[in-house]
Every structure is written in structure tokens, then in C-alpha cells.
Amino acid sequence: MAHTLVIISNDETAIGLIESVNTEYQFHFNVKVYDAAGDWVNRLRQNPCPVLLLDMDQLDRSILGRKLADYTIVLKSEYTIQEQRIFFKKGAFDCLTKSTDKTSLYYLLHEVKAAMEKEDNSDHKARLAKENLISLKSHLAYDLIFGNVKNSKEIWDRSKWAGLSVVPNTAMILHIDEFFRLTKNKSKLWEQTIRNEIIEAIQTFRDLEIRDILPVITAADKITVLLSIPLRSSQEEYKQLAVSYAERMKQHLNEKTGYTVTIGIGSYYEDARNLHVSYQEALQAQTYKFFSGTNAILHIADIQPFENETALLPNSEIETVASKLTVGDFTGVKESLEKVWNTVFTQQNVDPEVLKLQILDLLTTLARSAINGGAKPQDIISIHLEYARDLLMVENTSQMKKWFQEAIKQLLERAFLDYNEETLKSVQKAIAFIEHHYIENISLEQVASHVHLSPNYFSNLFKKTTGSSFIEYITNLRVDKAKSMLMDLDLTIYQIASAVGYQDARYFSRVFKAISGKTPSKYRNSLLGSQG
């Protein structure tokens, strides 16, 4: 490992001697020279170095106000005994005169190098020992929570090897609140940083009664802590102590990291071989976080089993909502969803995963209905995928309500825009068809078939878009065409009636009068009168 050696001096001779010895004797120091009159203090703060040579002929004695670093060599033309005592008292590794020769400098740098390598080796061994201890603790914790150890003596021996004074008897699971929101669009390194902060804070937590703790990561957003609850006379006392301990730990973690955690606690088990049961209980207690919210303590003894309810949403309600969306009844969809809302979000004792699956199923049904109603598949599928992915991050009912509102709002807005666009295209196509065939005896069924819609749906759609029923629209169109033709005096009323689709001239006259208030003849006369 190459260490950096910094020389604070402007003495070219001294600098040359040090660089020459470093190269000739292959010490492999990375030599840097800083101007004694420059801002070398800040440069050292930004880039600390192990070995420092200070030219005290050029530096102010005020730098000795602080203790010198371990491998600081003082360089000076000459010293008094008193000066050397001061330098050594401040922590200098050695004092070197500028008149020294290569051999003396070689022995000094060799001594520095040897001391540093010894320290590096010691640090390396310490790191290995620490890493080995952490590994022993982690392996023990994982084996205990997954039930991989069946022998009590093995558990006891491994606990001692891991440096524990007692064997764990209780499992807690710390869920990092809103973890997925905190790490959304962030790197895996960011996620790991948050977990490491929590674990470091756990390891700094100490309690008067509970000493040894084993924290391990068991999910992206969960850290399991194994601990030993001191002997008590009843399960209720064990529970109270565990909850009290969890409260203090929760507060400590929040103060140290700024994050909040929700803690699920399993039962106390004297036999550590049953710690995997305590772990499963802590997991089960954690699921109630969905209803309790964040920053909570949940003990398995306070948890009621979930009801075995698999159909939270009545099929009739879902079918009603889907039908209304298909025909574009967006107001009706919102009203029906209010009923669904009240049904779903008043539930307090259902498995959150079952609830999420049914809500996702509802979202899928609505997406399918929107597409069937004319919404663009790519738009609806994109919204569905986005919110289906986000549903996995929902941690409690408050978040789910917000998720549900936003998902439905996005879906309906997109469906409404696509629906209106598609509706306009269908109606425009129908109007163009009517314009070309109005003199024929065309029916609503024919036009609906032309635009590939059911007659009933097309009828509602046409009236909603144009403001007129199909019959009213085609009648008004024929009358408008007739009005233009009545200006041609060479055409008889019979010819005009036939030209706009009426074979019976008298029936045509009645329809014309009902629409315009005058018979065709009187309407023509009024036109002639206005021209005169």
C-alpha cells in the first residue's frame, strides 16, 4: 500500500534529498510538496496524509499550538535541546537536521515505513476480527429466525462465539416507515444507506436490562432484531417489557436517523429453538401496520386473527361500475365507486394482501371496461401498470385511500378524453353516412352497424353528442335540404319531397310545417315576398 508523504518547504536542497532517498531505496512514498507560504493547512484538511515533513526554518512556531500527527518529522537547520523537547512533546515522530546525509534519512524513513506497516497489519487484523464477529452474529441470527438450528448446545456455543452473554429469546421486526416512498426512483445504494443507518443506530442503543441484540436485514424495508428479555414471572410481564423496550428503541432510532419505524413483536420463548416462531409472530403482528399506521408498536398478543373473508367487494357492485364505464356514464361510475369506497375502507380485520388483490382486481376490471368503451388501450394499460406497481408500496389504509383516489381519477380522466375523442369520430362518421344516404329509407340500425356500435348504445351516444335523436336529426336535415331547394321555382313540391326522401308529398308537407311552422308552398311564397 503506497502512503503519501507531504513536504511543507521551499528548500530545494532538502526536498531533492528526500525525493532522491525515496526513489533510490524504493520506499514508494507518494511525495507531494506544498509551498510553506501557501494555504497548505486547508490542502491537508482536504487531503490528509500519513507522513508529514515540516520545515520549521520557514514555518511559524504557532503551528505547534496543536498536537502533531503521529508520523510528523520536523526539519530544521539546527535545534536547541529545548526545541527538540518541545517538538517531541507535541508528538513529532523525529527531528531531522537539514545537514543530514542519505544514510541517516534512509534509516528514518525505513523506521517510519515499518511502523506504518505494523499499524496497517494491526488494523487489518482488527477489521478481520470485527468482520468475522459480525458474520458469526449474522449467521446465528438467520439460522435462529428460519429454524435451522435444532440443538440447544449448538445455539449456546455459537452465541458465545458471537460474543453474546445471553441467548436470544424474542424476535422483533422493525419496518422502516414509507421506505418505498423514500427510495422511489433512487438507487439500490440509497436503499442500503438507509438500512445501514438504522442498523448502526440499533447497535448504538443500549438498555439497562437488555444488553445483547442481533440485528439483521430480512427484507428491503425490514430489519429483524433478536434479543433476550430478562426473566419474568408471566407472559404479560414479558410482553410489557418487550413493548417498553421497543418504544425506547423506536425513539432512539428516530433521534439518531430521523426515520420512523413500526415494530412488530413476537412472543417470548425460553427455548431459542422456537425463535423462528417468535419471528413469524412478529411478521404477523407487522401486517396490522396497514390499519394502525406508521410509528407504531404491535405485539402479537394484541392481534386478532384476520377473518377468512375472500370476497370484500360484491360482484354485482363491480358489474354495475364496469357497465356504467363501458357506456361512458362517468357520473354514475363515481357514484357507484362511493359505495365501493364505503364497503372497502371500513374493513378493519381483513388480510391487507387480500384487500390489495381485490382492489387491484377492481382496477383491472375498470381498465378493461374503459377500453371496451372506446378508450385507447395504450393509455389505459399505462395507467394500470403504473398504479398496480405503486400498490405494492402502499403500507396503510390512509395511503391506500390516496392511491385509490388518484388511480380512479387518472383512469376516468384518461377514459373521458379518449371516450370523447372516439365518440366524436363515431358520430362524425355517422353524420357523414347520413349526409350521403338521407334520401334513402335508412334506419338507426343501419347507421349503428356502419360505425360498429350497438343500436341502443349508438342511439344514446348520438343524442348525447348532437342534442337530437336519430329521427329528429334526419328529419331536420331533410327539411333543411328542402328549404334550399324551394328557392328553385322550377321544382315542384312533389319533386322536392321525393328529392329529400319522402314519397308522399302530403306527408312531407306536414313534416315540413311541423318543423318550420309553414307549409312548403307558404315558405316559398315568403321567400319570394322577401325578394320583392
Side-chain angles (χ1 to χ4, degrees), residues 414-464:
R414 186 70 261 174
F416 181 74
L417 291 172
D418 290 349
Y419 177 84
N420 284 348
E421 184 180 327
E422 198 63 28
T423 294
L424 186 59
K425 287 180 181 177
S426 297
V427 173
Q428 286 174 337
K429 187 176 179 182
I431 289 172
F433 182 81
I434 294 169
E435 190 74 32
H436 284 88
H437 299 276
Y438 70 92
I439 63 172
E440 302 170 15
N441 188 26
I442 56 173
S443 65
L444 181 142
E445 286 75 16
Q446 282 178 286
V447 181
S449 175
H450 179 71
V451 294
H452 308 292
L453 296 173
S454 71
N456 189 46
Y457 179 60
F458 171 71
S459 177
N460 293 329
L461 181 65
F462 191 86
K463 184 166 186 178
K464 186 186 296 183

Side-chain angles (χ1 to χ4, degrees), residues 174 198-205 213 215 223 225 249 253:
L174 281 60
I198 299 290
I199 288 179
E200 286 173 11
I202 291 171
Q203 290 169 336
T204 62
F205 179 70
I213 52 178
I223 296 169
V225 174
M249 177 183 283
L253 296 183

Side-chain angles (χ1 to χ4, degrees), residues 12-24:
E12 295 295 336
T13 303
I15 293 170
L17 176 65
I18 295 166
E19 289 180 333
S20 173
V21 171
N22 181 57
T23 302
E24 186 176 338

Side-chain angles (χ1 to χ4, degrees), residues 225-282:
V225 174
L226 301 183
L227 54 117
S228 180
I229 303 291
L231 187 64
R232 290 292 184 269
S233 59
S234 67
Q235 281 291 343
E236 179 61 26
E237 289 185 13
Y238 283 118
K239 172 199 158 185
Q240 290 176 0
L241 184 56
V243 169
S244 172
Y245 179 76
E247 285 286 1
R248 295 195 297 275
M249 177 183 283
K250 181 165 67 72
Q251 182 179 351
H252 173 79
L253 296 183
N254 182 244
E255 290 172 355
K256 289 292 184 181
T257 68
Y259 301 116
T260 64
V261 294
T262 294
I263 304 180
I265 308 173
S267 299
Y268 161 90
Y269 287 93
E270 185 175 353
D271 189 339
R273 289 175 295 183
N274 293 322
L275 261 177
H276 66 284
V277 180
S278 185
Y279 169 71
Q280 291 298 324
E281 290 173 340

